[in-house]
Amino acid sequence: MMVAKPWLGVGPDGYRFAYGQYAGLKVWDTRIFANSTPLELAADLGLPGLGLVAIFTLLAIGSLVKNSWLGRLGLFEAATLAALVAFGLHGLLDYFLGFHAVFILLWILLAIAVSYRFKPLPDQAGPIQ
């Protein structure tokens, strides 16, 4: 699918509906997902869509990763980073964004990660006014 439609993909959540056509089947189970989140996103959104999701995710967790390298990661920040790493590793072997509870949890974690980009570091904090 990614090779046939590299720019736009088959559409959001289109992998499971287009799978049978690409596999040469006349009847197939439409509850099927790819076994990898990057592959599913590439098939659904095309390479530009996959790239945008990757860039957003890297920007969202960038401050957490930077603070972890500098040794300035608090317990809550470390837990957020660990959860996002677990999501990422799990996503290499499974597609879990089709389940609303997991999808919402991922977006909440990404929102928490983005919020740390705007939190002043202890050495940059000024007096409270």
Side-chain angles (χ1 to χ4, degrees):
M1 287 182 214
M2 187 173 57
V3 172
K5 297 185 177 191
W7 294 108
L8 296 177
V10 293
D13 198 29
Y15 177 88
R16 60 194 185 109
F17 297 111
Y19 169 77
Q21 297 167 354
Y22 286 89
L25 303 173
K26 291 183 180 182
V27 178
W28 66 90
D29 186 1
T30 58
R31 297 173 294 171
I32 194 168
F33 292 103
N35 290 331
S36 171
T37 299
L39 290 178
E40 175 98 18
L41 291 176
D44 287 349
L45 307 176
L47 294 176
L50 175 65
L52 289 173
V53 170
I55 288 169
F56 173 76
T57 303
L58 291 174
L59 288 174
I61 66 171
S63 61
L64 293 174
V65 171
K66 177 183 172 187
N67 287 339
S68 71
W69 283 105
L70 297 175
R72 296 187 282 202
L73 209 59
L75 181 61
F76 195 66
E77 292 94 340
T80 303
L81 181 59
L84 288 169
V85 168
F87 266 94
L89 291 175
H90 180 84
L92 293 176
L93 302 173
D94 190 15
Y95 179 74
F96 52 83
L97 298 180
F99 308 103
H100 292 103
V102 178
F103 185 71
I104 291 169
L105 177 61
L106 175 64
W107 280 106
I108 289 170
L109 287 170
L110 286 170
I112 291 170
V114 167
S115 73
Y116 292 122
R117 294 185 68 81
F118 304 103
K119 178 182 172 186
L121 297 173
D123 58 342
Q124 296 174 343
I128 298 176
Q129 298 187 16

